[in-house]
Amino acid sequence: TLPGFHQYLVLERASKGGSNPLLGGRQADYLVLVPAGDVEVVRAEGHNAAHVRVHVPERCDASLKVHCYHVHGRYGDLRAPCISSRLQLAALYAATSTLLPEPHSNMTGVQIAMRLLRQCWTNAPLSTLDLAQLRSVASLGGHLAPGLKLLALELELSSMQLAHLYPEAPLVNQAQQQQQHDA
């Protein structure tokens, strides 16, 4: 899972007690913490290999936010609890995707990213950070599967359909201007 990505921390549950109805009646045995931020592919000069990283502030007093993913006990895949973390996970899968399927899911990273995007459908406008993450998903994995770009665009447009009901949505006018400019 996620080849070429190394910015994570795996936590293992020490005791086996407890219950969580969201995970089939038991808590996840493993949690994966990933810093929240923009996903980028970094290529070393003179090498074909690239690694994926999440851009985090470099200052020592900077606040660092993280996303917490549950490792499903039966299927072994990462489960995200909210739209923001799903979008970041989709960006990570899109950026680390290859043409070979992953062993646990028998799907490529781009296919997993598309599955995660389908789980992000909403009738409310996406936040500024979520919209930026959605756009990065399309740009990071769109070369392997053109359907990813189409799905990301459809999700963005769908989230803006009822934007007039949300006056606090900051990107309504900007998204409409972008659409007019692209047309």
Side-chain angles (χ1 to χ4, degrees):
T1 299
L2 303 175
F5 180 69
H6 305 288
Q7 285 179 290
Y8 59 89
L9 176 65
V10 178
L11 303 176
E12 182 177 6
R13 185 166 45 100
S15 66
K16 299 291 181 186
S19 172
N20 185 348
L22 297 178
L23 295 173
R26 53 176 271 215
Q27 293 180 345
D29 289 332
Y30 297 98
L31 298 177
V32 178
L33 300 178
V34 176
D38 296 330
V39 176
E40 52 190 28
V41 178
V42 180
R43 299 196 187 281
E45 289 186 33
H47 296 359
N48 289 337
H51 69 277
V52 176
R53 69 182 209 107
V54 176
H55 181 72
V56 294
E58 305 226 355
R59 296 184 2 197
C60 62
D61 63 343
S63 173
L64 182 63
K65 295 181 181 182
V66 297
H67 291 295
C68 179
Y69 302 107
H70 304 275
V71 178
H72 193 277
R74 183 173 183 186
Y75 301 115
D77 61 349
L78 297 174
R79 301 288 168 110
C82 65
I83 289 178
S84 296
S85 57
R86 260 185 231 116
L87 287 171
Q88 173 141 359
L89 187 57
L92 287 170
Y93 273 113
T96 60
S97 183
T98 63
L99 296 175
L100 298 175
E102 305 233 347
H104 291 294
S105 64
N106 289 328
M107 296 169 52
T108 64
V110 173
Q111 291 170 329
I112 296 171
M114 291 176 75
R115 186 184 72 196
L116 287 165
L117 285 186
R118 287 186 191 104
Q119 296 172 8
C120 294
W121 226 262
T122 179
N123 289 330
L126 294 171
S127 70
T128 306
L129 296 174
D130 290 345
L131 192 57
Q133 199 70 268
L134 176 64
R135 290 176 178 162
S136 75
V137 171
S139 67
L140 289 169
H143 64 284
L144 291 174
L148 183 63
K149 284 186 177 184
L150 294 173
L151 183 60
L153 179 63
E154 182 64 27
L155 177 59
E156 181 178 344
L157 294 176
S158 174
S159 72
M160 292 295 176
Q161 280 184 338
L162 298 177
H164 62 281
L165 299 175
Y166 299 88
E168 68 278 359
L171 291 176
V172 174
N173 294 331
Q174 183 181 352
Q176 290 172 347
Q177 290 173 358
Q178 179 75 17
Q179 291 171 3
Q180 291 172 355
H181 180 2
D182 292 344

